[in-house]
Amino acid sequence: MGSGLGAVLFGLAALRTRNIALSIGLHFGWNLIHWALGFKNSTGLWVESVAKGSEHQS
């Protein structure tokens, strides 16, 4: 669903504005948000760490 929704969004933006610049900006923002939230098989902005001795609390 994510790829299809993105394709429709980017396609409509390109058709509506008759320019590809908005589609490129939307795609960059989409990827940046997914990376920041950790959906791109990486930790993104937030890295969890547990202090030694407090494992039972986390």
Side-chain angles (χ1 to χ4, degrees):
M1 187 172 125
S3 300
L5 181 65
V8 169
L9 174 70
F10 305 141
L12 286 175
L15 290 173
R16 184 79 170 153
T17 62
R18 296 179 186 254
N19 194 346
I20 195 130
L22 180 62
S23 292
I24 292 171
L26 288 172
H27 194 281
F28 177 76
W30 182 287
N31 285 342
L32 183 68
I33 289 171
H34 274 134
W35 170 79
L37 296 177
F39 294 135
K40 294 283 186 181
N41 293 329
S42 66
T43 58
L45 292 176
W46 299 279
V47 179
E48 294 181 16
S49 62
V50 179
K52 195 168 192 162
S54 63
E55 294 90 0
H56 64 281
Q57 294 176 345
S58 57

